[in-house]
Amino acid sequence: MSQTATATEKETVMDTALLDEVVHWVKTLTSVGVSPDCAATLTTEILLATSESAEEFSEYGDMEEFDEE
């Protein structure tokens, strides 16, 4: 991706990466016997929870001030 990539191009790359991750986990879970519907639901819930955790973490801003121990 060039340095002059538009916001839409960056969003598309992110969407593709997220879709790849979902597909990976659904395939992994179904390979060990989880139903496709349950695997999709579980994967979605995990990714949403991870996203929410990342947003909460980012609310704290720069964490370097806590690394001064």
Side-chain angles (χ1 to χ4, degrees), residues 3-60:
Q3 291 180 339
T4 59
T6 65
T8 303
E9 290 171 335
K10 291 178 183 177
E11 289 172 5
T12 301
V13 169
M14 182 57 126
D15 292 345
T16 302
L18 183 58
L19 181 59
D20 289 344
E21 192 70 19
V22 169
V23 169
H24 166 76
W25 282 105
V26 170
K27 285 182 178 181
T28 300
L29 290 169
T30 56
S31 73
V32 295
V34 177
S35 74
D37 289 340
C38 185
T41 300
L42 181 59
T43 300
T44 301
E45 289 177 8
I46 290 170
L47 291 174
L48 287 174
T50 302
S51 175
E52 290 173 7
S53 294
E55 288 175 11
E56 289 174 10
F57 182 75
S58 69
E59 289 177 11
Y60 294 105

